[in-house]
Amino acid sequence: MTIRLGANCYGKAECRLVRVDRDGPQHRLTDLTVSTSLAGRLDATHLTGDNTDVLPTDTQKNTVYAFARQGIASIERFGLDLARHFVSGPIEQARVTVEWHPWQRLGEHSFARRGDETRLATVTADAERAWVVGGLTGLVLMNTTDSEFRGFARDRYTTLPEAADRILATAVDARWRFDGLDADWDEAYDTVHAALVDAFTQTYSRSLQQTLYAMGERVLERVPQVAEVRLALPNRHHFLVDLSPFGLDNPGEVYFAADRPYGLIEATVLRDGATPAGLAWEWAGR
């Protein structure tokens, strides 16, 4: 029997980082969670315990904070700078994942945390090139009409009635891969965000799958630098409550919001002829 070491990596997970830019009376707040992961010629540490080529995860954490001192123009650029820094010698590939937690401005130096929506960026680099994957999670959307679900397959276990008019709600988890490194990262994020919201609100939905495709298609139409979009849309079910035991009708007004189980719709929408993904998706987690 032959035993060998397979793919491996290591890094520092979830470094919490808050930077305050104090230029002028109106401060700027950047709240991030940064994770690093390195891979390469690291067999020795696994097989013999020789740590000669192991850059400590504590050093990776310190590097994150040191680079933050130089300023954070965008999370994509910040991730690119870090990933390229780590690729050296035995470290052949580096991945940096950055989560940006938004705060709402209340005054010149006062802020309030803004919901669960989080902006994401995952940057993967080797000695020759780099890939950038943008993303977001926790974007909660709802349409209270213009959604149906009919004509679906049935078998002996099907009990679901057809719905000619239903609530459609989801919490968007999206990743989009850039075809190159020349994007205006902040503008691209704002455009993708708007495209996702517009497509959701403007699409008459006959299935959540149809809505997902419309959202991915809208992103590719509006942001030419994006090669493909991967979306995961949980169907946050809302069930009409039966009020008849209380002598009341319910003309589509009172619902029970179920948290689980839920339908989960996932798909990729991609542009023909785009540069192959390389390591981007393999390391991006989606």
Side-chain angles (χ1 to χ4, degrees), residues 95-97 120-124 133-134 173-175 230 232 266 279-286:
R95 176 188 63 193
V96 177
T97 300
L120 307 169
T122 300
V123 180
T124 307
V133 175
D173 190 325
R175 305 289 188 277
R230 297 191 176 186
E266 300 178 282
L279 292 172
W281 289 126
E282 176 186 346
W283 282 62
R286 263 198 191 281

PDB file of all heavy atoms in Angstrom, residues 95-97 120-124 133-134 173-175 230 232 266 279-286:
ATOM      1  N   ARG A  95      -3.636  32.692  -1.119  1.00  0.00           N
ATOM      2  CA  ARG A  95      -5.034  33.121  -1.212  1.00  0.00           C
ATOM      3  C   ARG A  95      -5.322  34.055  -0.044  1.00  0.00           C
ATOM      4  O   ARG A  95      -4.985  33.765   1.100  1.00  0.00           O
ATOM      5  CB  ARG A  95      -5.976  31.922  -1.147  1.00  0.00           C
ATOM      6  CG  ARG A  95      -7.460  32.296  -1.148  1.00  0.00           C
ATOM      7  CD  ARG A  95      -8.340  31.076  -0.876  1.00  0.00           C
ATOM      8  NE  ARG A  95      -8.085  30.535   0.451  1.00  0.00           N
ATOM      9  CZ  ARG A  95      -8.522  29.341   0.869  1.00  0.00           C
ATOM     10  NH1 ARG A  95      -9.192  28.561   0.047  1.00  0.00           N
ATOM     11  NH2 ARG A  95      -8.260  28.923   2.083  1.00  0.00           N
ATOM     12  N   VAL A  96      -5.950  35.177  -0.367  1.00  0.00           N
ATOM     13  CA  VAL A  96      -6.374  36.123   0.665  1.00  0.00           C
ATOM     14  C   VAL A  96      -7.862  36.381   0.485  1.00  0.00           C
ATOM     15  O   VAL A  96      -8.309  36.768  -0.597  1.00  0.00           O
ATOM     16  CB  VAL A  96      -5.590  37.455   0.581  1.00  0.00           C
ATOM     17  CG1 VAL A  96      -6.106  38.442   1.621  1.00  0.00           C
ATOM     18  CG2 VAL A  96      -4.093  37.208   0.772  1.00  0.00           C
ATOM     19  N   THR A  97      -8.620  36.131   1.534  1.00  0.00           N
ATOM     20  CA  THR A  97     -10.057  36.375   1.524  1.00  0.00           C
ATOM     21  C   THR A  97     -10.363  37.536   2.460  1.00  0.00           C
ATOM     22  O   THR A  97      -9.928  37.537   3.612  1.00  0.00           O
ATOM     23  CB  THR A  97     -10.833  35.130   1.984  1.00  0.00           C
ATOM     24  OG1 THR A  97     -10.529  34.044   1.099  1.00  0.00           O
ATOM     25  CG2 THR A  97     -12.331  35.380   1.969  1.00  0.00           C
ATOM     26  N   LEU A 120     -17.402  40.814  -0.194  1.00  0.00           N
ATOM     27  CA  LEU A 120     -16.339  39.821  -0.154  1.00  0.00           C
ATOM     28  C   LEU A 120     -15.374  40.012  -1.307  1.00  0.00           C
ATOM     29  O   LEU A 120     -15.744  40.501  -2.375  1.00  0.00           O
ATOM     30  CB  LEU A 120     -16.924  38.408  -0.257  1.00  0.00           C
ATOM     31  CG  LEU A 120     -18.032  38.021   0.721  1.00  0.00           C
ATOM     32  CD1 LEU A 120     -18.657  36.698   0.294  1.00  0.00           C
ATOM     33  CD2 LEU A 120     -17.501  37.937   2.138  1.00  0.00           C
ATOM     34  N   ALA A 121     -14.142  39.609  -1.080  1.00  0.00           N
ATOM     35  CA  ALA A 121     -13.166  39.512  -2.162  1.00  0.00           C
ATOM     36  C   ALA A 121     -12.218  38.373  -1.834  1.00  0.00           C
ATOM     37  O   ALA A 121     -11.762  38.244  -0.690  1.00  0.00           O
ATOM     38  CB  ALA A 121     -12.384  40.806  -2.338  1.00  0.00           C
ATOM     39  N   THR A 122     -11.937  37.526  -2.824  1.00  0.00           N
ATOM     40  CA  THR A 122     -10.952  36.467  -2.678  1.00  0.00           C
ATOM     41  C   THR A 122      -9.931  36.624  -3.789  1.00  0.00           C
ATOM     42  O   THR A 122     -10.292  36.621  -4.973  1.00  0.00           O
ATOM     43  CB  THR A 122     -11.601  35.072  -2.761  1.00  0.00           C
ATOM     44  OG1 THR A 122     -12.558  34.941  -1.714  1.00  0.00           O
ATOM     45  CG2 THR A 122     -10.556  33.978  -2.616  1.00  0.00           C
ATOM     46  N   VAL A 123      -8.670  36.777  -3.404  1.00  0.00           N
ATOM     47  CA  VAL A 123      -7.586  36.957  -4.369  1.00  0.00           C
ATOM     48  C   VAL A 123      -6.653  35.762  -4.287  1.00  0.00           C
ATOM     49  O   VAL A 123      -6.206  35.387  -3.192  1.00  0.00           O
ATOM     50  CB  VAL A 123      -6.802  38.249  -4.094  1.00  0.00           C
ATOM     51  CG1 VAL A 123      -5.675  38.404  -5.105  1.00  0.00           C
ATOM     52  CG2 VAL A 123      -7.726  39.457  -4.132  1.00  0.00           C
ATOM     53  N   THR A 124      -6.378  35.146  -5.413  1.00  0.00           N
ATOM     54  CA  THR A 124      -5.459  34.014  -5.502  1.00  0.00           C
ATOM     55  C   THR A 124      -4.316  34.400  -6.417  1.00  0.00           C
ATOM     56  O   THR A 124      -4.541  34.942  -7.503  1.00  0.00           O
ATOM     57  CB  THR A 124      -6.176  32.773  -6.065  1.00  0.00           C
ATOM     58  OG1 THR A 124      -7.356  32.524  -5.302  1.00  0.00           O
ATOM     59  CG2 THR A 124      -5.272  31.560  -6.014  1.00  0.00           C
ATOM     60  N   VAL A 133     -11.818  37.373  -7.291  1.00  0.00           N
ATOM     61  CA  VAL A 133     -13.231  37.004  -7.224  1.00  0.00           C
ATOM     62  C   VAL A 133     -13.900  37.959  -6.236  1.00  0.00           C
ATOM     63  O   VAL A 133     -13.510  38.016  -5.066  1.00  0.00           O
ATOM     64  CB  VAL A 133     -13.417  35.549  -6.759  1.00  0.00           C
ATOM     65  CG1 VAL A 133     -14.898  35.224  -6.572  1.00  0.00           C
ATOM     66  CG2 VAL A 133     -12.777  34.590  -7.762  1.00  0.00           C
ATOM     67  N   GLY A 134     -14.864  38.738  -6.714  1.00  0.00           N
ATOM     68  CA  GLY A 134     -15.644  39.592  -5.839  1.00  0.00           C
ATOM     69  C   GLY A 134     -16.852  38.832  -5.331  1.00  0.00           C
ATOM     70  O   GLY A 134     -17.164  37.724  -5.790  1.00  0.00           O
ATOM     71  N   ASP A 173     -26.245  34.953  -1.953  1.00  0.00           N
ATOM     72  CA  ASP A 173     -24.823  34.662  -1.782  1.00  0.00           C
ATOM     73  C   ASP A 173     -24.238  34.617  -3.188  1.00  0.00           C
ATOM     74  O   ASP A 173     -24.564  33.714  -3.966  1.00  0.00           O
ATOM     75  CB  ASP A 173     -24.628  33.337  -1.054  1.00  0.00           C
ATOM     76  CG  ASP A 173     -23.186  33.099  -0.641  1.00  0.00           C
ATOM     77  OD1 ASP A 173     -22.271  33.507  -1.380  1.00  0.00           O
ATOM     78  OD2 ASP A 173     -22.961  32.483   0.418  1.00  0.00           O
ATOM     79  N   ALA A 174     -23.408  35.588  -3.541  1.00  0.00           N
ATOM     80  CA  ALA A 174     -22.928  35.726  -4.917  1.00  0.00           C
ATOM     81  C   ALA A 174     -21.409  35.838  -4.946  1.00  0.00           C
ATOM     82  O   ALA A 174     -20.799  36.447  -4.066  1.00  0.00           O
ATOM     83  CB  ALA A 174     -23.543  36.962  -5.576  1.00  0.00           C
ATOM     84  N   ARG A 175     -20.816  35.226  -5.977  1.00  0.00           N
ATOM     85  CA  ARG A 175     -19.398  35.397  -6.278  1.00  0.00           C
ATOM     86  C   ARG A 175     -19.277  35.712  -7.762  1.00  0.00           C
ATOM     87  O   ARG A 175     -19.962  35.092  -8.581  1.00  0.00           O
ATOM     88  CB  ARG A 175     -18.599  34.135  -5.966  1.00  0.00           C
ATOM     89  CG  ARG A 175     -18.735  33.596  -4.550  1.00  0.00           C
ATOM     90  CD  ARG A 175     -18.049  34.471  -3.520  1.00  0.00           C
ATOM     91  NE  ARG A 175     -18.057  33.815  -2.218  1.00  0.00           N
ATOM     92  CZ  ARG A 175     -19.072  33.841  -1.366  1.00  0.00           C
ATOM     93  NH1 ARG A 175     -20.182  34.478  -1.688  1.00  0.00           N
ATOM     94  NH2 ARG A 175     -19.001  33.218  -0.202  1.00  0.00           N
ATOM     95  N   ARG A 230     -21.425  33.192  -9.878  1.00  0.00           N
ATOM     96  CA  ARG A 230     -21.965  32.018  -9.202  1.00  0.00           C
ATOM     97  C   ARG A 230     -22.889  32.498  -8.088  1.00  0.00           C
ATOM     98  O   ARG A 230     -22.510  33.319  -7.255  1.00  0.00           O
ATOM     99  CB  ARG A 230     -20.838  31.146  -8.642  1.00  0.00           C
ATOM    100  CG  ARG A 230     -19.957  30.590  -9.748  1.00  0.00           C
ATOM    101  CD  ARG A 230     -19.008  29.513  -9.274  1.00  0.00           C
ATOM    102  NE  ARG A 230     -18.261  28.975 -10.411  1.00  0.00           N
ATOM    103  CZ  ARG A 230     -17.432  27.937 -10.346  1.00  0.00           C
ATOM    104  NH1 ARG A 230     -17.263  27.323  -9.187  1.00  0.00           N
ATOM    105  NH2 ARG A 230     -16.789  27.524 -11.416  1.00  0.00           N
ATOM    106  N   ALA A 232     -25.923  31.473  -5.115  1.00  0.00           N
ATOM    107  CA  ALA A 232     -26.641  30.532  -4.265  1.00  0.00           C
ATOM    108  C   ALA A 232     -27.791  31.295  -3.632  1.00  0.00           C
ATOM    109  O   ALA A 232     -27.573  32.267  -2.909  1.00  0.00           O
ATOM    110  CB  ALA A 232     -25.725  29.952  -3.191  1.00  0.00           C
ATOM    111  N   GLU A 266     -28.730  26.904  -6.832  1.00  0.00           N
ATOM    112  CA  GLU A 266     -27.353  27.312  -7.121  1.00  0.00           C
ATOM    113  C   GLU A 266     -27.065  27.122  -8.607  1.00  0.00           C
ATOM    114  O   GLU A 266     -27.469  26.127  -9.199  1.00  0.00           O
ATOM    115  CB  GLU A 266     -26.357  26.493  -6.297  1.00  0.00           C
ATOM    116  CG  GLU A 266     -26.537  26.622  -4.790  1.00  0.00           C
ATOM    117  CD  GLU A 266     -25.563  25.760  -4.009  1.00  0.00           C
ATOM    118  OE1 GLU A 266     -25.812  24.539  -3.919  1.00  0.00           O
ATOM    119  OE2 GLU A 266     -24.559  26.296  -3.523  1.00  0.00           O
ATOM    120  N   LEU A 279      -6.998  28.942 -10.961  1.00  0.00           N
ATOM    121  CA  LEU A 279      -7.149  28.582  -9.554  1.00  0.00           C
ATOM    122  C   LEU A 279      -8.245  29.356  -8.853  1.00  0.00           C
ATOM    123  O   LEU A 279      -8.546  29.098  -7.693  1.00  0.00           O
ATOM    124  CB  LEU A 279      -5.824  28.835  -8.813  1.00  0.00           C
ATOM    125  CG  LEU A 279      -4.662  27.933  -9.171  1.00  0.00           C
ATOM    126  CD1 LEU A 279      -3.398  28.458  -8.504  1.00  0.00           C
ATOM    127  CD2 LEU A 279      -4.930  26.514  -8.723  1.00  0.00           C
ATOM    128  N   ALA A 280      -8.838  30.323  -9.542  1.00  0.00           N
ATOM    129  CA  ALA A 280      -9.743  31.261  -8.853  1.00  0.00           C
ATOM    130  C   ALA A 280     -10.862  30.552  -8.108  1.00  0.00           C
ATOM    131  O   ALA A 280     -11.061  30.766  -6.927  1.00  0.00           O
ATOM    132  CB  ALA A 280     -10.315  32.258  -9.855  1.00  0.00           C
ATOM    133  N   TRP A 281     -11.621  29.689  -8.812  1.00  0.00           N
ATOM    134  CA  TRP A 281     -12.764  29.054  -8.168  1.00  0.00           C
ATOM    135  C   TRP A 281     -12.308  27.963  -7.207  1.00  0.00           C
ATOM    136  O   TRP A 281     -12.916  27.735  -6.173  1.00  0.00           O
ATOM    137  CB  TRP A 281     -13.705  28.479  -9.199  1.00  0.00           C
ATOM    138  CG  TRP A 281     -14.460  29.499  -9.965  1.00  0.00           C
ATOM    139  CD1 TRP A 281     -14.516  29.615 -11.332  1.00  0.00           C
ATOM    140  CD2 TRP A 281     -15.275  30.574  -9.459  1.00  0.00           C
ATOM    141  NE1 TRP A 281     -15.301  30.675 -11.688  1.00  0.00           N
ATOM    142  CE2 TRP A 281     -15.793  31.284 -10.566  1.00  0.00           C
ATOM    143  CE3 TRP A 281     -15.596  31.006  -8.176  1.00  0.00           C
ATOM    144  CZ2 TRP A 281     -16.619  32.381 -10.436  1.00  0.00           C
ATOM    145  CZ3 TRP A 281     -16.430  32.110  -8.036  1.00  0.00           C
ATOM    146  CH2 TRP A 281     -16.932  32.791  -9.158  1.00  0.00           C
ATOM    147  N   GLU A 282     -11.236  27.267  -7.590  1.00  0.00           N
ATOM    148  CA  GLU A 282     -10.754  26.200  -6.720  1.00  0.00           C
ATOM    149  C   GLU A 282     -10.457  26.720  -5.309  1.00  0.00           C
ATOM    150  O   GLU A 282     -10.699  26.042  -4.319  1.00  0.00           O
ATOM    151  CB  GLU A 282      -9.488  25.596  -7.332  1.00  0.00           C
ATOM    152  CG  GLU A 282      -8.828  24.529  -6.468  1.00  0.00           C
ATOM    153  CD  GLU A 282      -7.514  24.064  -7.039  1.00  0.00           C
ATOM    154  OE1 GLU A 282      -7.234  24.365  -8.221  1.00  0.00           O
ATOM    155  OE2 GLU A 282      -6.761  23.421  -6.304  1.00  0.00           O
ATOM    156  N   TRP A 283      -9.977  27.945  -5.237  1.00  0.00           N
ATOM    157  CA  TRP A 283      -9.585  28.512  -3.955  1.00  0.00           C
ATOM    158  C   TRP A 283     -10.651  29.448  -3.384  1.00  0.00           C
ATOM    159  O   TRP A 283     -10.545  29.849  -2.227  1.00  0.00           O
ATOM    160  CB  TRP A 283      -8.290  29.289  -4.113  1.00  0.00           C
ATOM    161  CG  TRP A 283      -7.086  28.422  -4.168  1.00  0.00           C
ATOM    162  CD1 TRP A 283      -6.811  27.466  -5.119  1.00  0.00           C
ATOM    163  CD2 TRP A 283      -5.993  28.404  -3.271  1.00  0.00           C
ATOM    164  NE1 TRP A 283      -5.616  26.863  -4.849  1.00  0.00           N
ATOM    165  CE2 TRP A 283      -5.078  27.423  -3.718  1.00  0.00           C
ATOM    166  CE3 TRP A 283      -5.678  29.128  -2.126  1.00  0.00           C
ATOM    167  CZ2 TRP A 283      -3.895  27.154  -3.058  1.00  0.00           C
ATOM    168  CZ3 TRP A 283      -4.495  28.863  -1.475  1.00  0.00           C
ATOM    169  CH2 TRP A 283      -3.617  27.881  -1.938  1.00  0.00           C
ATOM    170  N   ALA A 284     -11.646  29.803  -4.171  1.00  0.00           N
ATOM    171  CA  ALA A 284     -12.590  30.825  -3.705  1.00  0.00           C
ATOM    172  C   ALA A 284     -13.668  30.273  -2.783  1.00  0.00           C
ATOM    173  O   ALA A 284     -14.341  31.017  -2.106  1.00  0.00           O
ATOM    174  CB  ALA A 284     -13.264  31.512  -4.891  1.00  0.00           C
ATOM    175  N   GLY A 285     -13.847  28.972  -2.757  1.00  0.00           N
ATOM    176  CA  GLY A 285     -14.837  28.396  -1.861  1.00  0.00           C
ATOM    177  C   GLY A 285     -16.196  28.202  -2.497  1.00  0.00           C
ATOM    178  O   GLY A 285     -17.091  27.639  -1.905  1.00  0.00           O
ATOM    179  N   ARG A 286     -16.385  28.715  -3.749  1.00  0.00           N
ATOM    180  CA  ARG A 286     -17.648  28.506  -4.461  1.00  0.00           C
ATOM    181  C   ARG A 286     -17.359  28.320  -5.922  1.00  0.00           C
ATOM    182  O   ARG A 286     -16.486  28.943  -6.435  1.00  0.00           O
ATOM    183  CB  ARG A 286     -18.576  29.708  -4.279  1.00  0.00           C
ATOM    184  CG  ARG A 286     -19.539  29.416  -3.178  1.00  0.00           C
ATOM    185  CD  ARG A 286     -20.728  30.306  -3.215  1.00  0.00           C
ATOM    186  NE  ARG A 286     -21.455  30.134  -1.999  1.00  0.00           N
ATOM    187  CZ  ARG A 286     -22.266  29.116  -1.748  1.00  0.00           C
ATOM    188  NH1 ARG A 286     -22.466  28.206  -2.644  1.00  0.00           N
ATOM    189  NH2 ARG A 286     -22.872  29.017  -0.609  1.00  0.00           N
TER     190      ARG A 286
END
